[in-house]
Amino acid sequence: MKKQIMINDDKVKHVQKSIVSFKFKLFLLFKLPMGFLCGMRVKELNNESCQVTVPYKWLNKNPFRSTFWAVLGMAAEMNGAALLLQYTQGQTPSISTYPVTCEAEFIKKATDVTTFTCHDGLMVREKVKEAMETGEGIRLETVMNGLNQNGDLICKFKFIWSIKSRTRT
């Protein structure tokens, strides 16, 4: 019989507030400097979804006058990572996470601000809870759509994440 584990919602709210604050920009500067330099920002993070933006600018461009695919990928990954982070940061038992697979489809040139949105937050929460309860490794899939300022679909990313409780309780 698996033990019922609760995710600490106070910690989730604290992480949500921290990620959309100035403090997170400092985190990017020191821990993910390319994210900071390219102008990536977490605009919104809640229990259900995350929204990350990245601008088209000189540092982010490719020779084809659009945002470099790797910059788009970094912003897309941050989308799923923020959803995971809000449910794993400071929880007991601690959770190990990492992206296993990334798939991308590019539909249109990214020539202005690209906004990525992922609506997989509730599924992420359930998978993290399952990993904490069972102590087993879990794989989960997050899907992000990147839209331009006109609302046109620019690209789609899919990440498969591995999550595992570091210790059983």
Side-chain angles (χ1 to χ4, degrees):
M1 183 173 164
K2 65 183 179 181
K3 184 177 181 179
Q4 280 291 81
I5 292 183
M6 299 299 292
I7 290 179
N8 185 327
D9 286 324
D10 291 335
K11 290 182 180 178
V12 170
K13 295 253 183 261
H14 176 73
V15 171
Q16 288 172 350
K17 187 177 176 182
S18 296
I19 286 180
V20 296
S21 73
F22 177 75
K23 189 175 10 174
F24 189 68
K25 291 177 187 174
L26 290 176
F27 168 82
L28 285 177
L29 178 62
F30 293 105
K31 299 292 185 180
L32 187 59
M34 284 310 302
F36 178 83
L37 292 173
C38 79
M40 180 176 63
R41 300 290 178 258
V42 178
K43 292 293 187 178
E44 183 180 341
L45 175 62
N46 60 51
N47 291 352
E48 298 176 12
S49 65
C50 182
Q51 192 173 72
V52 176
T53 62
V54 66
Y56 170 70
K57 62 182 191 176
W58 179 82
L59 185 64
N60 300 346
K61 70 179 184 168
N62 62 30
F64 309 107
R65 293 186 298 244
S66 64
T67 304
F68 184 50
W69 73 267
V71 172
L72 296 171
M74 180 172 47
E77 181 184 3
M78 178 57 72
N79 227 247
L83 287 172
L84 275 163
L85 186 62
Q86 73 178 341
Y87 293 121
T88 59
Q89 185 69 30
Q91 300 292 340
T92 303
S94 65
I95 303 288
S96 169
T97 65
Y98 65 94
V100 176
T101 304
C102 172
E103 292 179 19
E105 179 182 356
F106 301 95
I107 293 101
K108 193 172 183 178
K109 281 186 170 189
T111 57
D112 59 15
V113 175
T114 302
T115 301
F116 287 93
T117 305
C118 181
H119 297 285
D120 296 329
L122 296 178
M123 180 268 304
V124 168
R125 180 185 180 101
E126 288 306 310
K127 292 294 188 178
V128 168
K129 187 176 174 192
E130 181 182 339
M132 291 168 63
E133 288 174 345
T134 65
E136 301 295 321
I138 306 275
R139 289 194 177 207
L140 67 103
E141 179 180 301
T142 56
V143 177
M144 301 77 178
N145 289 325
L147 306 177
N148 66 13
Q149 290 178 314
N150 293 329
D152 299 328
L153 184 63
I154 300 297
C155 55
K156 297 178 186 180
F157 279 82
K158 177 174 76 171
F159 284 88
I160 296 176
W161 299 85
S162 174
I163 58 174
K164 185 176 182 192
S165 176
R166 287 194 175 105
T167 59
R168 286 190 186 179
T169 57

